[in-house]
Amino acid sequence: MKKRIIGMSTLALTCLIAAVGCGQSDANANSTSSNSQGATSPHVGGSISISPQENGPWADVFNPYSPNGNTSDISKVIYEPLVEWDSNTGTSKAWLAKSWTWSDGNKVLTIHLQPGVKWSNGKSFTSADVVFTYNMLKKYPALDSNGLWSFMKSISATGPDTVQVVLKQPNSTFFYYFSGVPIVSTFQFQGVNPLTFQDQHPIGTGPYMLQTFNSQQITLTRNPHYWQPGKPYLQTINYPAETSNDSTILGLESGQIQWASIFSPSLETSYVKKDPTSNHFNDGQAPAFDSLYVNLHSYPLNLPVVRKAISMALDRSKLSEIGESGYASPVSSLDGIPDSLAGQWGTPSLKTEFPATYNVSMAKQMLLKAGFKVSGSKMITPQGKPFAINMIVPAPFTDYVTLSNQIASMLGQIGITVNQQSVSASQYADDMAKGNFQMGVYWTPSGPNPFFILNGLMNTQYGGPIGSTALGSNYGRFANSQVQKLAQQFEETEDSSTQKTIIDQLATIYGEELPVIPLLDSDTTDEYSSKTIDGWPTKQDPYWDTLAYGGPLVVLTHLFQK
């Protein structure tokens, strides 16, 4: 499986936290893709087959705001945001927004849009569409997954290509979330309920538009009205409905798939070595975790001591070795701060206070001291019932299947019975989001600093009632009023020292309560072939990350057929 990473690295931190000064960041304005593999110059024609992750079968729903749609992997190629962010470097690239500036003490954001942008049906894209999109989020709060309108006072069009946003108060995290919203047209979304609108004939500003759909393959074709002259180069993109890592690897090996972001324990031997010149594999690390989520409204998982005992019973080195073939490193502490961010944001005393210890005997003793008892080889809860947990397992994600098997075996050592329930990828995501689970492995949110992880996992804003779809990653529905207070303080300050202090406080709450049990540092893997396609980022020209998921607009507008 592949982790959906939405964040940035620390490189973007200064710009993001200040929310100013990044206004015209375009890190790759001068980057070109021509002849990066020594091939011909970019030209129109050809096609590519992409498997971002195991999403199949596809749904005939392209509304980028629909929870039942075809995810941002495809919808973002049709519906573009104002700004693109590189997951590896954290740099931003102006997209539908040509530039932006802050004024009035960082409370007024003025956005200048790219001129001459058209929708794929030839109609003009204007500032009215941008204003309409954000007002749609206000009208339908369920769409406002990052709570933008809790920070915004107003948005208005001050010209055909200019939009002004007024904030209630300066906010250090606002622009990152704001700039990634997919922009839709007024003429298509006005008068429909965006919560239920399927959008089977999408009209976007993106480089590609829908050509054909069936549940086994989606084909996009060039948008003839695209605003970047001459782009995109590839005529079509095919998205086969892959259902597992294994089938995607077979597609890569046979050349039927040219780009993917999936996990496999032997990518070097199963893919790269079969054609070392053309087959490429990148293994990276994201500022996030693969974690064990538990439902905090389910007894006895709602008890911190139980979560800590479970954590202590897990051999993370073994999980890394067997579950992720060593690509993902075991976490060293339970403070919620990834090692990749610890150098700037970690506090050594917290890592010492909350170590990721593996000790089966001590884990068992923690439960016994908490009133649990042992009967035979089984742990009995203080309520006199066998300690058993239902664990949902996403069948297509072979690494998470392996991790789940290992976790079940490890918890069996302390008398906990884990009943694994295999479900589809879509069912898994839906169950996690609605809190319809007791335990499951999933990835955490990411970001340029630990606030995005800690706040994302603990703030009630990103949870909601059990049974309703969470607006973020607080799947276990953790609630602590101090988290909300600290989050507000963080967002109101641009002082990095103050922010560091607040992160320490959030990390302390996380370590004490352990609402989500971190297992491994998230890895990112992607595979691509340069046999017939050129224009890829290279070591000499690393103009963008090569992740296939999340709608890779920047790379897609560089690729061309050899």
Side-chain angles (χ1 to χ4, degrees):
M1 64 91 47
K2 184 40 58 192
K3 293 76 183 172
R4 183 173 299 280
I5 303 301
I6 61 171
M8 301 165 284
S9 74
T10 52
L11 191 61
L13 180 65
T14 303
C15 292
L16 180 68
I17 296 307
V20 294
C22 300
Q24 299 179 41
S25 175
D26 190 349
N28 306 291
N30 297 318
S31 179
T32 65
S33 63
S34 61
N35 297 321
S36 62
Q37 307 289 340
T40 59
S41 299
H43 59 280
V44 174
S47 66
I48 187 171
S49 186
I50 305 175
S51 177
Q53 47 192 335
E54 308 84 345
N55 284 319
W58 296 115
D60 194 6
V61 180
F62 291 89
N63 176 358
Y65 293 99
S66 171
N68 302 314
N70 289 313
T71 77
S72 62
D73 295 335
I74 296 179
S75 64
K76 187 179 168 188
V77 180
I78 300 173
Y79 292 104
E80 298 176 301
L82 295 173
V83 174
E84 276 286 87
W85 295 91
D86 188 311
S87 296
N88 286 346
T89 66
T91 52
S92 64
K93 184 175 180 63
W95 208 252
L96 286 178
K98 183 180 181 181
S99 64
W100 54 94
T101 58
W102 288 91
S103 59
D104 191 18
N106 299 333
K107 290 195 295 185
V108 176
L109 170 66
T110 301
I111 301 166
H112 302 282
L113 302 174
Q114 300 280 359
V117 177
K118 293 183 181 298
W119 298 98
S120 57
N121 64 355
K123 291 186 177 181
S124 294
F125 162 83
T126 72
S127 55
D129 294 306
V130 177
V131 172
F132 169 80
T133 297
Y134 287 97
N135 279 329
M136 183 177 73
L137 304 189
K138 182 180 182 181
K139 183 177 180 180
Y140 297 93
L143 305 180
D144 189 9
S145 58
N146 289 307
L148 293 174
W149 276 98
S150 64
F151 311 127
M152 294 169 62
K153 181 182 291 183
S154 66
I155 183 170
S156 59
T158 54
D161 297 324
T162 309
V163 173
Q164 187 177 81
V165 181
V166 179
L167 301 186
K168 297 173 183 176
Q169 54 193 7
N171 187 288
S172 60
T173 63
F174 173 78
F175 187 73
Y176 172 59
Y177 292 124
F178 174 85
S179 62
V181 168
I183 305 299
V184 299
S185 67
T186 305
F187 62 80
Q188 193 179 20
F189 277 73
Q190 194 168 45
V192 303
N193 182 343
L195 295 170
T196 58
F197 180 46
Q198 294 192 331
D199 193 20
Q200 294 173 329
H201 304 285
I203 299 173
T205 62
Y208 289 91
M209 58 186 192
L210 179 64
Q211 181 178 51
T212 60
F213 167 85
N214 67 62
S215 62
Q216 296 306 305
Q217 179 162 298
I218 292 172
T219 298
L220 305 184
T221 189
R222 292 180 76 239
N223 173 4
H225 303 286
Y226 195 50
W227 54 275
Q228 295 190 41
K231 294 184 176 182
Y233 304 118
L234 293 172
Q235 182 64 47
T236 57
I237 306 176
N238 297 311
Y239 291 97
E242 295 297 319
T243 56
S244 73
N245 302 31
D246 294 337
S247 64
T248 302
I249 288 296
L250 290 175
L252 285 164
E253 291 175 1
S254 66
Q256 294 179 329
I257 296 173
Q258 287 87 41
W259 193 6
S261 284
I262 57 97
F263 169 81
S264 173
S266 56
L267 287 167
E268 284 288 346
T269 54
S270 65
Y271 180 59
V272 176
K273 287 187 177 179
K274 292 192 174 182
D275 186 353
T277 301
S278 301
N279 293 349
H280 309 274
F281 156 58
N282 291 322
D283 177 33
Q285 191 177 70
F289 301 110
D290 288 325
S291 294
L292 184 62
Y293 285 76
V294 297
N295 192 319
L296 302 174
H297 291 262
S298 176
Y299 177 84
L301 298 172
N302 59 325
L303 304 175
V305 66
V306 170
R307 302 194 290 271
K308 292 178 180 178
I310 289 175
S311 174
M312 192 167 287
L314 300 177
D315 182 349
R316 291 174 171 81
S317 295
K318 192 173 183 180
L319 293 176
S320 171
E321 178 184 352
I322 297 179
E324 298 287 350
S325 299
Y327 290 135
S329 303
V331 301
S332 59
S333 68
L334 304 177
D335 58 359
I337 299 178
D339 287 345
S340 59
L341 299 177
Q344 183 173 0
W345 295 97
T347 297
S349 61
L350 291 179
K351 290 197 171 296
T352 301
E353 185 176 356
F354 304 113
T357 303
Y358 170 54
N359 189 318
V360 174
S361 177
M362 190 178 295
K364 204 169 185 178
Q365 288 302 316
M366 288 174 69
L367 292 178
L368 295 178
K369 288 182 180 179
F372 289 74
K373 297 180 180 178
V374 173
S375 175
S377 60
K378 301 298 182 183
M379 188 66 67
I380 306 298
T381 72
Q383 292 183 349
K385 298 180 179 178
F387 190 174
I389 305 172
N390 294 324
M391 183 179 195
I392 56 174
V393 182
F397 303 162
T398 55
D399 54 342
Y400 276 12
V401 171
T402 304
L403 286 176
S404 299
N405 288 336
Q406 290 297 313
I407 289 169
S409 176
M410 292 172 186
L411 294 187
Q413 296 180 80
I414 59 172
I416 299 176
T417 300
V418 177
N419 302 310
Q420 298 186 68
Q421 301 170 340
S422 181
V423 297
S424 67
S426 58
Q427 184 65 50
Y428 189 75
D430 189 62
D431 285 345
M432 293 294 291
K434 292 180 178 176
N436 295 329
F437 70 101
Q438 278 194 301
M439 188 165 73
V441 177
Y442 217 39
W443 54 83
T444 69
S446 65
N449 64 61
F451 175 80
F452 288 81
I453 302 173
L454 296 167
N455 188 49
L457 294 175
M458 296 195 293
N459 196 317
T460 54
Q461 173 184 353
Y462 301 115
I466 294 289
S468 65
T469 300
L471 294 180
S473 299
N474 188 357
Y475 302 131
R477 271 62 177 180
F478 182 73
N480 183 321
S481 60
Q482 188 64 16
V483 171
Q484 271 63 248
K485 293 177 182 176
L486 291 169
Q488 182 175 353
Q489 293 171 16
F490 185 96
E491 291 162 348
E492 290 177 354
T493 182
E494 295 173 5
D495 180 74
S496 59
S497 177
T498 302
Q499 290 179 333
K500 171 68 169 56
T501 300
I502 294 171
I503 286 175
D504 278 355
Q505 293 174 277
L506 288 170
T508 299
I509 294 173
Y510 191 91
E512 291 175 343
E513 298 287 335
L514 205 57
V516 178
I517 302 170
L519 303 173
L520 309 171
D521 286 323
S522 285
D523 69 306
T524 60
T525 55
D526 54 84
E527 309 82 22
Y528 65 92
S529 170
S530 59
K531 187 173 184 178
T532 60
I533 305 293
D534 205 347
W536 299 101
T538 65
K539 290 182 178 178
Q540 294 74 32
D541 184 14
Y543 65 87
W544 208 255
D545 68 63
T546 48
L547 297 176
Y549 54 80
L553 285 169
V554 176
V555 176
L556 278 176
T557 51
H558 282 68
L559 298 182
F560 61 94
Q561 190 88 28
K562 283 185 174 178

